[in-house]
Amino acid sequence: MRTPFAALAALMIVASCGMGGGTVVKGAGPDDLLKLRAGPGLNYKILMGLPDGTRLRRHRCVTEVGQLWCQVSLASTPAVTGYVSADYISDL
């Protein structure tokens, strides 16, 4: 039998990770797109623009020049991967 503490600890670990779970583009704005880039930073090539509401899967995040960037793939097309600013994504 699991203790309540063990179950709570496991839930907190899963909730705090957010890695590989459902994520959505949020905050790009109605007339703008979040840039999916080839690498973690503004100097990398833009692969495509993602409108608010685009569903993603987050894989890992890194900090570059004080900015948090997350490697993501499109939920509908997992082969499409790149990096986005963590400021514009939210866990579902």
Side-chain angles (χ1 to χ4, degrees):
M1 183 166 131
R2 287 182 108 169
T3 65
F5 177 76
L8 180 60
L11 180 61
M12 288 174 59
I13 290 169
V14 170
S16 67
C17 288
M19 304 297 272
T23 302
V24 67
V25 175
K26 185 175 180 182
D31 298 324
D32 207 357
L33 301 172
L34 176 62
K35 281 115 183 120
L36 181 70
R37 295 181 179 272
L42 296 175
N43 295 327
Y44 287 90
K45 178 183 172 186
I46 297 170
L47 303 174
M48 67 174 43
L50 306 172
D52 277 352
T54 302
R55 289 180 172 260
L56 306 169
R57 291 194 54 88
R58 183 174 11 176
H59 302 288
R60 67 182 184 100
C61 298
V62 296
T63 301
E64 291 293 327
V65 192
Q67 175 70 41
L68 186 62
W69 293 86
C70 294
Q71 183 183 33
V72 298
S73 58
L74 297 181
S76 62
T77 314
V80 176
T81 64
Y83 287 82
V84 296
S85 170
D87 291 341
Y88 298 97
I89 58 175
S90 178
D91 291 333
L92 294 175

